[in-house]
Amino acid sequence: MIRRLFCGLALLGLSALAHAALDIDQLMAELARNPGGQAKFVEKRHLALLDKPVIATGEMRYTPPDRLEKRTLTPQVETMVLDKDTLSLERDRRRMTIRLSARPEVAAFVDSIRSTLAGDRAALERNYKLSLSGGLEAWVLVLVPNDERITSLLKSITVKGVRQQVLGIDYLQADGDRTEMTIEPTP
């Protein structure tokens, strides 16, 4: 009986180690190993002015360390390309380009995702307080802005994932509106 109890406790201990809490450095190292790739997304925007969320779908491509493309297919075709210091948006044959170095508040917002994907803790901590929960098989990273220009627009960003894959991003705006994005990697 005592032997079975001891074996059970040993197995429980090993199981707990396998699901041990992840620290931010471990997560960043795991994310930095992400080779990039393609994914489909579904984005639900919950706006106070509307009774139902606005749902958008599309595809994304990440090329480490600093290129992110997001192509919205529904309800309206829109393309966003983030390449190094340039953010380009295209919709209805209109194109807008922003140099991030000229717009630090936009850069901070954009880099929250790009720096997470790249596993760049130092870049994240320039603009956000980080808190992490979970383990490698199911983690949640919460980014809370520490810059007044950002907090006037955004309360928090919650990034969810498994290992080196980001599977969800939720934005909570200062006005209470929120966006939930689910991401499904594609081969």
Side-chain angles (χ1 to χ4, degrees):
M1 176 73 172
I2 291 177
R3 186 176 192 183
R4 266 192 248 175
L5 178 62
F6 179 73
C7 287
L9 288 173
L11 287 174
L12 182 63
L14 289 174
S15 175
L17 283 175
H19 292 67
L22 184 65
D23 74 30
I24 292 174
D25 286 331
Q26 292 169 321
L27 175 61
M28 293 296 126
E30 187 72 23
L31 289 167
R33 285 192 285 275
N34 186 332
Q38 299 182 127
K40 294 179 182 180
F41 72 87
V42 175
E43 187 176 65
K44 293 180 183 178
R45 294 183 190 135
H46 301 268
L47 308 172
L49 297 173
L50 301 176
D51 293 335
K52 293 189 243 179
V54 176
I55 299 175
T57 63
E59 53 198 27
M60 300 172 75
R61 176 184 296 273
Y62 172 61
T63 307
D66 54 15
R67 184 172 173 86
L68 180 62
E69 301 171 51
K70 179 183 174 198
R71 182 167 166 77
T72 302
L73 302 172
T74 65
Q76 182 175 0
V77 175
E78 178 180 279
T79 303
M80 179 206 76
V81 177
L82 174 62
D83 191 12
K84 297 178 180 61
D85 184 51
T86 304
L87 175 64
S88 301
L89 302 166
E90 187 174 340
R91 181 192 303 166
D92 296 331
R93 296 187 187 123
R94 292 182 306 207
R95 186 177 175 95
M96 177 174 70
T97 301
I98 299 169
R99 291 268 176 230
L100 297 177
S101 56
R103 302 283 306 272
E105 69 284 356
V106 175
F109 180 74
V110 167
D111 274 343
S112 67
I113 302 309
R114 183 168 52 184
S115 297
T116 299
L117 291 170
D120 188 343
R121 181 179 185 168
L124 285 171
E125 288 181 330
R126 278 194 289 272
N127 296 298
Y128 298 94
K129 178 182 161 207
L130 312 180
S131 65
L132 178 65
S133 61
L136 197 55
E137 296 302 325
W139 51 265
V140 177
L141 177 65
V142 178
L143 312 175
V144 176
N146 57 23
D147 183 310
E148 198 172 290
R149 293 171 295 184
I150 303 169
T151 58
S152 67
L153 303 170
L154 181 69
K155 280 189 178 180
S156 66
I157 300 171
T158 302
V159 184
K160 298 172 245 178
V162 172
R163 296 193 172 273
Q164 59 188 219
Q165 293 290 324
V166 172
L167 301 177
I169 305 169
D170 299 342
Y171 303 93
L172 179 58
Q173 294 175 205
D175 63 6
D177 289 349
R178 61 188 166 84
T179 301
E180 300 167 346
M181 179 188 290
T182 56
I183 301 167
E184 180 185 334
T186 57

